[in-house]
Amino acid sequence: MFDLELGLDLSGDFYTRHFQPTPSEDTLILNMGPQHPSTHGVLRVILEIDGEYILRAEPVLGYIHRMQEKMGEVKRYEQYLPNMGRVDYLHALAWNWAYVGAVERLMGLEVPKRAEYIRVITCELNRINSHLLWWGAYLLDLGAFTPIMYAFQDREIVMDILQRVSGSRLTYCYYRFGGVSQDIDDIFIEKTKEFCAYLKPRLKMYKDLVTDNIILRKRVEDIGIIEEETLRKYGATGPVLRGSGIKYDVRRKEPYSVYSELDFEIPTASSKDALGRYLVRMQEIEESLKIIEQALEKIPPGPHISPQAPRRPKPPRGEVYFAVEGARGEIGVNLVSDGSAYPYRVKLRSPSFSNLSMFPEIAKGTLLADAVSILGSLDLVIPEIDR
Amino acid sequence: MIGSKLKETFDGVVSLLIGLKITFKNFLKPNLTVHYPRKTVKPEELTGYRGHIELVPKPENPFVPRCIGCGLCRDICPSGCIEVRSKRIAEEKEIHTPHFGLQDTPLDLTRKVAPPQKTKIEIVSFELNYNYCSLCGLCVQNCPAGSLRFSKDIYLASFSSRDFEFDLLKRLEKQAQARLKEEEEWTK
């Protein structure tokens, strides 16, 4: 369709026009999504396929764009807190931390030691939760139904623990400027210790059931190999980067909070394929358990929120960047303040966006069924990409 | 060639058997899910859970909320879902007959000379639109009078969004009446 009066090409949206079919008659243009079970949300990928092989792939974004960044400019600092639980619903506490940490850095606010330890414990519990859901959902994509049920059984325990202190089960709004909203109690500590003891044999069971399974190995081994150059080019972070053998973790490279006092490893895999990313995430769950156990022993008494914490913060003029390590990679908040009660600009750096950007390059030349495996191994959360 | 094929088949059968073993073990374990309409979660498992907000009554009078009508909750709410209306009412005071020497002074002047009237705040309405609430808890933490708390109402479901527009004063009254009734039965 062509509008003569306006001189506009109105056929299809921007992406469809951008993605013109090639003259060849052998290829087929295929839409994967926006409603596709393996895209976990509303991600649309346009594929040009020759038989079962992908020639070109292009992700289309923006189906659940909610103006999270704009909302930061029209809400006061403290009013923006609940938004952070909704950017990435799986690792909500990391986003909470990134924003709260940025405001604290801008204001020069000290956080009590106890609050820092509470943050570490809850954030790591949330990371385990996120990895467990990814594990279940990824295997669901690959055709195994039962693992997600086991994953949800474990997730339920973590959600009960976190609900006790934060009041929510998924979209947490727990951290406050200068601390956390509620102190942890003895039952929380006891339950968390119980959970750590419970999950270890479960992880062994997962290894027997899934990781060593020959069907899974066939679907993930030597599939979706990402070279270091591609990772560097697109700014990939998190388990995707570590799955290709690069030892980068914000918790170690740019230590924030009390992570420098805790002893843990950064798991990496040298195979660069989907299996590498899978193994990195499974080892990360074990490392998180290690961190939680150490933090529970080291946690000092004291206030859970700084006495100087303002109810309505008004940071001085300036710009600050604060990054934390989320389940998917580096989560960053760039905050600009003009000295008023409203932020001038809130830029959210989401790891899933960078990780997805690599997809056209990795998917080129692979089978359609492998593309599903690659997409799942990137661990995408669509609300985080669109923001 | 045949050797590798055989090995593959053997590995497949082994991993199948391991899977079956784990499935069978779990098959014998007790049921973990709560069959919702027939069973509900135990109340002690709801500790710390944030339901929608409700008003906290004064200790001496369960019908009157602690609220002082400052409107801080309304201002801080990110979604603007709280509506508080309050009015100041003057307390009744005794009427004294003017002093003998002042009986001829104009009425306005005597009013100006009189001490200011004591006023008290009455909450006219306290409405919550739960449809927009994101349960961040900022209102509860910022209430200077400690007049807000989270309820344990978790089984909320309706076909109409109107059912989630709560009149919290009415809710408080109902709770107070229920409490009184309970106390009466207790004394019997």
Side-chain angles (χ1 to χ4, degrees):
Chain A
M1 208 170 87
F2 194 80
D3 194 317
L4 286 172
E5 280 177 25
L6 293 167
L8 292 171
D9 183 9
L10 297 173
S11 54
D13 55 19
F14 168 79
Y15 289 95
T16 325
R17 268 178 279 135
H18 177 65
F19 204 86
Q20 289 295 330
T22 45
S24 162
E25 281 188 5
D26 302 331
T27 63
L28 177 76
I29 303 277
L30 186 75
N31 268 308
M32 194 164 128
Q35 273 88 31
H36 189 275
S38 81
T39 56
H40 301 288
V42 275
L43 172 69
R44 175 176 161 213
V45 185
I46 310 176
L47 303 165
E48 185 180 353
I49 51 175
D50 181 5
E52 278 281 299
Y53 287 93
I54 293 168
L55 299 179
R56 278 197 291 165
E58 188 163 323
V60 183
L61 310 177
Y63 281 91
I64 39 170
H65 176 56
R66 290 161 300 165
M67 302 192 290
Q68 296 280 15
E69 288 182 1
K70 179 68 195 168
M71 266 191 250
E73 293 166 26
V74 296
K75 289 186 175 198
R76 284 200 307 269
Y77 282 94
E78 73 277 14
Q79 287 183 325
Y80 194 51
L81 283 169
N83 280 56
M84 287 291 105
R86 282 147 182 91
V87 177
D88 172 3
Y89 51 86
L90 287 181
H91 201 184
L93 283 174
W95 276 97
N96 267 250
W97 203 343
Y99 176 64
V100 166
V103 176
E104 279 160 6
R105 189 174 277 183
L106 197 57
M107 297 177 71
L109 193 64
E110 276 280 312
V111 184
K113 259 280 156 64
R114 187 177 175 84
E116 293 279 26
Y117 273 99
I118 296 173
R119 282 182 185 182
V120 167
I121 295 165
T122 47
C123 188
E124 293 303 322
L125 278 174
N126 204 190
R127 186 190 312 277
I128 293 174
N129 231 358
S130 171
H131 280 337
L132 280 175
L133 185 87
W134 164 81
W135 180 77
Y138 182 44
L139 296 167
L140 195 65
D141 290 348
L142 298 181
F145 184 76
T146 331
I148 198 166
M149 293 294 154
Y150 292 131
F152 267 78
Q153 190 182 332
D154 299 349
R155 268 172 63 80
E156 204 62 33
I157 303 168
V158 184
M159 286 202 282
D160 280 343
I161 293 171
L162 286 178
Q163 175 202 306
R164 204 180 162 77
V165 287
S166 72
S168 329
R169 293 175 74 82
L170 196 70
T171 48
Y172 308 104
C173 175
Y174 180 44
Y175 300 164
R176 296 285 186 267
F177 308 120
V180 292
S181 73
Q182 205 187 329
D183 203 358
I184 59 173
D185 54 2
D186 293 341
I187 300 173
F188 174 90
I189 293 172
E190 195 186 304
K191 275 190 169 179
T192 315
K193 276 181 184 163
E194 265 173 35
F195 172 73
C196 290
Y198 161 85
L199 197 64
K200 277 171 194 165
R202 289 287 284 195
L203 287 174
K204 204 189 155 290
M205 186 268 262
Y206 292 161
K207 188 176 175 298
D208 292 342
L209 180 69
V210 181
T211 316
D212 292 344
N213 190 293
I214 193 157
I215 305 169
L216 177 91
R217 292 276 168 160
K218 294 240 163 186
R219 296 273 334 244
V220 291
E221 248 170 354
D222 294 331
I223 281 162
I225 292 176
I226 314 176
E227 292 303 328
E228 196 181 325
E229 194 197 338
T230 320
L231 291 161
R232 295 239 187 255
K233 205 157 73 185
Y234 288 96
T237 44
V240 177
L241 185 69
R242 292 192 284 274
S244 289
I246 301 165
K247 219 171 180 175
Y248 179 83
D249 190 312
V250 186
R251 288 174 293 179
R252 276 281 180 257
K253 292 278 167 188
E254 247 183 90
Y256 55 96
S257 185
V258 288
Y259 277 114
S260 48
E261 295 172 15
L262 300 163
D263 170 44
F264 63 97
E265 295 283 310
I266 305 169
T268 52
S270 52
S271 58
K272 300 184 182 182
D273 54 0
L275 180 69
R277 297 191 275 282
Y278 175 95
L279 291 175
V280 163
R281 289 201 182 92
M282 295 315 272
Q283 281 168 30
E284 247 176 50
I285 297 179
E286 285 171 29
E287 293 303 317
S288 289
L289 286 177
K290 226 162 94 183
I291 295 171
I292 292 166
E293 280 175 345
Q294 284 174 47
L296 280 173
E297 271 177 24
K298 283 188 178 179
I299 188 162
H304 65 282
I305 190 158
S306 162
Q308 282 96 39
R311 286 197 168 175
R312 295 189 169 188
K314 252 190 187 179
R317 284 167 74 99
E319 188 172 347
V320 79
Y321 178 74
F322 189 80
V324 298
E325 180 72 25
R328 271 151 283 281
E330 183 180 330
I331 290 170
V333 171
N334 192 24
L335 199 70
V336 187
S337 163
D338 57 355
S340 70
Y342 297 82
Y344 181 74
R345 174 87 170 95
V346 186
K347 163 79 183 116
L348 310 173
R349 187 237 184 248
S350 80
S352 288
F353 182 79
S354 314
N355 294 353
L356 174 69
S357 310
M358 292 187 306
F359 183 68
E361 225 167 279
I362 338 164
K364 210 173 271 178
T366 58
L367 284 164
L368 186 57
D370 289 347
V372 172
S373 174
I374 295 166
L375 212 55
S377 76
L378 295 177
D379 189 11
L380 303 170
V381 169
I382 315 303
E384 189 189 50
I385 296 168
D386 289 345
R387 299 195 290 285
Chain B
M1 185 67 198
I2 292 174
S4 70
K5 279 270 176 198
L6 273 175
K7 197 186 170 295
E8 204 172 272
T9 319
F10 180 73
D11 286 350
V13 170
V14 168
S15 56
L16 179 76
L17 286 175
I18 291 171
L20 279 176
K21 193 185 97 189
I22 289 163
T23 312
F24 189 70
K25 262 189 197 167
N26 273 281
F27 181 70
L28 295 176
K29 278 183 189 166
N31 199 351
L32 278 167
T33 39
V34 177
H35 287 253
Y36 162 55
R38 293 180 289 280
K39 275 193 256 167
T40 48
V41 181
K42 287 175 219 148
E44 66 262 23
E45 279 172 17
L46 288 175
T47 323
Y49 186 83
R50 291 180 188 166
H52 68 78
I53 53 166
E54 63 182 12
L55 287 168
V56 181
K58 278 183 180 169
E60 69 271 12
N61 187 354
F63 286 92
V64 179
R66 282 193 197 178
C67 180
I68 52 168
C70 63
L72 211 65
C73 50
R74 182 191 56 205
D75 289 347
I76 207 158
C77 181
S79 330
C81 51
I82 300 172
E83 189 69 51
V84 198
R85 266 189 227 104
S86 61
K87 66 175 180 196
R88 277 178 183 276
I89 38 171
E91 274 177 9
E92 284 177 27
K93 69 172 189 181
E94 290 173 60
I95 299 164
H96 300 285
T97 45
H99 188 265
F100 180 73
L102 288 172
Q103 269 179 357
D104 293 336
T105 35
L107 198 64
D108 290 347
L109 206 66
T110 46
R111 267 194 199 148
K112 269 181 191 165
V113 169
Q117 272 185 315
K118 264 190 183 173
T119 56
K120 65 173 182 184
I121 288 164
E122 196 191 81
I123 311 299
V124 182
S125 72
F126 199 111
E127 281 160 12
L128 167 74
N129 192 345
Y130 189 48
N131 294 306
Y132 303 126
C133 176
S134 48
L135 293 169
C136 57
L138 285 171
C139 51
V140 176
Q141 277 158 19
N142 282 285
C143 182
S147 175
L148 290 172
R149 67 173 174 218
F150 294 110
S151 68
K152 293 277 174 283
D153 260 8
I154 60 163
Y155 303 110
L156 286 169
S158 172
F159 287 108
S160 162
S161 65
R162 274 282 182 85
D163 295 347
F164 300 112
E165 290 165 14
F166 299 119
D167 187 342
L168 294 185
L169 278 180
K170 265 187 194 164
R171 190 186 156 82
L172 183 77
E173 205 180 305
K174 263 187 198 170
Q175 281 176 339
Q177 272 165 357
R179 212 174 104 186
L180 279 185
K181 220 176 179 183
E182 219 171 72
E183 274 171 15
E184 267 174 30
E185 274 175 18
W186 189 250
T187 46
K188 271 176 196 174

